Amino acid sequence: MTVTANDLVGTLSGTTAHGLALGFAFIFVGSLYVSNHTRLSFDHNVKVSVGGYQRIKQNNERWRDDPDVIRARLAAVSIASVICCAIVGYLLSDLTHSKSSGEVFKLAAKHLGFASAGPILSHLVTPVLFLGPLYAMFLGGDLPFQQHWDCEREGAKFTSWIGIRSYIFAPFTEELVFRACVCTVYHISGTSTSRMIFLTPFTFGVAHAHHAWDTYNRYGRNTEALKRAILGTIFQLMYTTLFGFLATYIFLRTGSLLPAWTAHAFCNVMGFPNIGWELQAYPHRRKQIIAVYLAGVVGFAFVLSRWTFTPDSIFWFPSP
């Protein structure tokens, strides 16, 4: 008898799901430190200046934006992502007692969001939320094919190692592990969609805390650098967790990894909205900027459930 996704719900304990979720995070983040090629190194003998500025990189140091470090880390998180997916596959095989690798593969693809691309409109939900920043870019002539947009420069931005990591690879692998793998084990444990939306993103947020060490060293290893590292980590924890709420909702609602991936990539490209700077830069358009920001929030609330509805999502009840 063929086992369906619904047959598995409740076959895993909540404690086991928590342990697996933490294990996925440990495997992913830990992969960045298992090798000398992936680990960062800092010269602690360098005299640093104060003033809140990033210090000059030394030749004997390895920073996170160095091309060789990025390449090594991309390889490491690729292996880590495959391991996490393999654990999910083994779990499904064990719970279904299936001897058919093809059946387990299809079931794993369904849970991990590879079985469909999701509704086309689901990929536009996040851009609606960013209507305000997009309007500010329009005012500055920075949107594609406007006067300040340069095709060669923008192309280089996405094809550099930093761009490949930040806009393509990191969004995909992070969504695969922290969204698909984590949500899969919680779904199998019978965790409700609301609990998954509001609890699982904390794992994603905390997984970024290791960046504090990098910030502390790059900004001088002093009290000011420590404050910057702590505040930066808290801020990153907040916005990665907030984004995690959205990405988890999109993933569960669509049952597809692709919309969560494109949302993640889009947010990385846009960065955190800076309405204060935009109001100062375009004082003659202050009211319009505020109005478009509000329109984006209202529009986002209106389209979120409508544009992400997917009748065959295994994670959501079949009603809009």
Side-chain angles (χ1 to χ4, degrees):
M1 184 179 70
T2 301
V3 178
T4 66
N6 289 333
D7 296 330
L8 294 175
V9 177
T11 59
L12 191 70
S13 70
T15 301
T16 302
H18 290 317
L20 286 170
L22 291 175
F24 293 148
F26 178 81
I27 291 170
F28 190 91
V29 177
S31 70
L32 303 178
Y33 297 94
V34 296
S35 165
N36 289 331
H37 299 290
T38 58
R39 285 195 294 268
L40 308 182
S41 63
F42 302 97
D43 189 341
H44 298 292
N45 296 317
V46 176
K47 293 183 179 180
V48 297
S49 59
V50 296
Y53 296 101
Q54 179 173 284
R55 65 180 179 81
I56 298 175
K57 177 181 177 295
Q58 305 300 303
N59 292 332
N60 62 331
E61 294 182 308
R62 294 172 58 80
W63 287 15
R64 69 184 300 266
D65 287 340
D66 293 352
D68 59 327
V69 173
I70 294 175
R71 288 192 294 268
R73 288 190 159 192
L74 293 185
V77 296
S78 296
I79 296 172
S81 300
V82 170
I83 291 174
C84 291
C85 291
I87 292 173
V88 170
Y90 176 81
L91 177 67
L92 292 172
S93 176
D94 183 60
L95 293 176
T96 59
H97 306 290
S98 176
K99 296 181 180 180
S100 170
S101 58
E103 181 179 335
V104 172
F105 181 83
K106 289 181 181 179
L107 201 56
K110 187 78 172 176
H111 279 86
L112 296 176
F114 289 113
S116 72
I120 294 177
L121 289 177
S122 66
H123 300 274
L124 301 179
V125 169
T126 307
V128 169
L129 180 61
F130 276 77
L131 282 181
L134 289 171
Y135 176 64
M137 291 178 65
F138 168 77
L139 294 177
D142 297 319
L143 289 179
F145 308 111
Q146 286 190 291
Q147 63 268 33
H148 294 155
W149 187 82
D150 183 85
C151 181
E152 184 175 346
R153 183 187 67 237
E154 294 301 317
K157 175 181 175 181
F158 284 91
T159 56
S160 67
W161 282 110
I162 293 177
I164 292 172
R165 176 198 64 193
S166 301
Y167 308 133
I168 301 173
F169 219 87
F172 177 76
T173 54
E174 289 177 0
E175 290 305 312
L176 178 58
V177 173
F178 292 100
R179 217 69 59 203
C181 291
V182 170
C183 285
T184 292
V185 296
Y186 277 114
H187 175 68
I188 295 175
S189 73
T191 303
S192 66
T193 54
S194 59
R195 286 179 63 84
M196 283 192 281
I197 291 169
F198 291 108
L199 291 181
T200 60
F202 286 103
T203 304
F204 175 62
V206 172
H208 288 77
H210 69 102
H211 291 307
W213 175 246
D214 173 42
T215 301
Y216 174 69
N217 280 278
R218 285 188 295 107
Y219 282 86
R221 300 188 311 278
N222 50 36
T223 302
E224 191 171 350
L226 180 60
K227 290 180 181 178
R228 176 183 287 270
I230 293 174
L231 292 176
T233 299
I234 293 173
F235 180 70
Q236 189 175 43
L237 173 62
M238 290 174 59
Y239 77 73
T240 52
T241 301
L242 286 173
F243 169 76
F245 297 155
L246 171 61
T248 304
Y249 179 93
I250 292 175
F251 174 74
L252 297 177
R253 185 81 168 163
T254 63
S256 173
L257 182 67
L258 191 56
W261 176 23
T262 57
H264 195 150
F266 182 82
C267 286
N268 281 7
V269 171
M270 293 297 295
F272 195 82
N274 191 351
I275 187 173
W277 179 89
E278 293 161 1
L279 292 174
Q280 290 183 349
Y282 311 106
H284 57 296
R285 297 292 180 91
R286 291 173 63 91
K287 291 182 179 179
Q288 292 93 326
I289 291 173
I290 293 173
V292 177
Y293 261 88
L294 291 175
V297 174
V298 173
F300 169 77
F302 179 78
V303 304
L304 179 59
S305 63
R306 292 169 173 82
W307 288 5
T308 56
F309 171 60
T310 310
D312 59 350
S313 172
I314 63 174
F315 302 104
W316 208 276
F317 293 111
S319 59

